[in-house]
Amino acid sequence: MRRQTSDHRLVMQIVDFALLFLLLAVALFSSSIALIGVSIAGLMMSLREFLLLTIPRGRSKNGSRNYQYGIGKIVQAGSLVIALSAVLAGFWLAGQAFGLMLSGLSEVSPLGLALAATANALVMIWNGFVAYAHYEPFDRAKQLLLRTRRRRFASLLAFQILLTIAVLAKDPVIAFWIDILGATVISLLMTVGGIKVAWEGISDLIDYPLDREREGAIIALLYREGVKPEELIDLRTRRCAQRIFAELTLRTVETIPIEEVRQRLVHLRRALETELTDLDIVVKLHGSEPLKG
Amino acid sequence: MSQAPTQDQKAKEAAVLYTALADLAVFFLQMTFAITTQSLALLSEAIRNGLMLIIEFYTFLILRAVHRDRLGKFRFGIGKLEQMCNLAIGASLLLSGLWIAQRVVQSLLFDQAAATPLGLATAAVISAINLVINALGWFAMMSAARSDDSAIFRAQWRARAVKLFSSLVVQTTMTIAALAKDPMISAGLDGLGASFVGALMVAIGFKMLWGCLPDLLDRSVPKDLAAEIQATLDKAAIAPNEIAHIRTRRAGKSPHVELTLATTGCLWVRDFLQRAERLDGLLRSQMPEADISIAFGAAEALDRVPK
């Protein structure tokens, strides 16, 4: 079953890249900078998706000798590079659109525009199929990727409407301004999206803690599982994509049997891991007397 | 909650800030004259200075934040934050060095016009001011250096030494280029200075990138440190079956060491805590800057308890 899913994913990604390269080729032929932007943005997104989906999750969780906390940070670093490239590409595209606007020289031909509309329609239909023609995944990471794919479909749809108007209008002025408008919007989306992903990647790489809301949710879970507020000395958290790393320090009475504590912690751990599927938790114990220093 | 810095801390902050501001003034001068005179060497030196300035201001901000206890939210320490900044600067240095190399090759291949004699003379004067500031900064740091200086101070001193060395080379080539009457010699020396600074930027940038990547990617600690941990475990007479697992990851000068102890041989919680405390003390004495966690081995028990 897993093998079948993996093959299915591989085929999907191959088709994805093939269509995007086709779109890029048509974009270069038609000289439409908006379409060049669409194809670059699509390639960046597909590359990130490829990176996030192809890393074997089991390996990333259990880690290796050199990466004992998993290889999630390598994936995040790759994602950061792609995001920064998207930001740069966004700036480049904005510069091109601005230059065209100033010069007023457009090289978009009616044939090129018609080809661009056809190629974009093809990519849009494919993305709509991938985004909606299967069940909602349970995995949070895949859910996020699916959401990104749906956003991409919506952008392609909006761009398709503009392209169709430009083709049908048969007016070079309309075609020119639609191309500029499309390129501007895409450059903005690429830059904003790239900065957002880059910020997430940087936060993960520098061990930035979870936000208060999520930390509060973990503490609430601990209380629900019977940990008393006076027992909870400390909670340190950090994250790497969807994976949460938590280090819990609990106060305990020294004169109770170790087996009792072990049973309690085993159940606590199990409860936490059921609620937070991608959790790596470490429990430290401290005696009942106050902490030194 | 932030705290007020002491007078000594304020004095250190002021020293770092004033040096950075002097560098900033020189940077603006260099940029202005590099653009107006079209001197490649001065432009490359200006870019390198600008990037080094980012490190200086970053260090200043970190220093301020540390003095005011504002980085407490980084519960696993600021080692990764430092490495991220190194990564950004390293990448910028590397890319800028490559860009300068491309400009040098372009000017050689397409025989682009060299800077004017007046331009080269002005560039040489600006470069001399920069050289003096770098020399003064380096001597001031050398006289203030102690054997137990912090990593931040040592990094600043090293950066100042690189600055001094490259500005010395640029000054030499720039002065000869300005004095030479032959435009070919001027252009050649300008290109030579730019190539040197470019090569230096690529080398330092690559070294910085290579040095900080393992830390940012949570790679396990180097072999010598792993051996040190093992030696400490042996010294503490911890049997292999008493350790559930060890995980380590790098984070600048403060590596993270996570030791999960099994409960083998412990009857009461007290027994476990004594073992953990002894080991914690030994590891901290061996690696005072490391972030050490001695965890309770409940995970291995999880496999044995029926669900």
Side-chain angles (χ1 to χ4, degrees), chain B residues 33 40 45 53 55 75 87 93-94 100 116 143-145 182 206 227 249 257 275 279 289:
Chain B
F33 284 98
L40 275 176
E45 181 67 359
L53 259 176
I55 298 183
R75 301 296 314 281
L87 176 86
L93 278 172
L94 188 70
I100 288 165
T116 60
S143 52
D182 189 341
F206 184 76
R249 59 193 187 98
V257 180
R275 183 188 289 173
L279 192 57
E289 287 186 322

Side-chain angles (χ1 to χ4, degrees), chain A residues 26-52:
Chain A
V26 172
L28 292 172
F29 172 76
S30 67
S31 305
S32 160
I33 53 161
L35 200 63
I36 291 175
V38 167
S39 43
I40 291 175
L43 280 169
M44 298 272 185
M45 284 164 98
S46 294
L47 206 62
R48 184 164 173 258
E49 205 176 277
F50 175 76
L51 184 76
L52 296 176

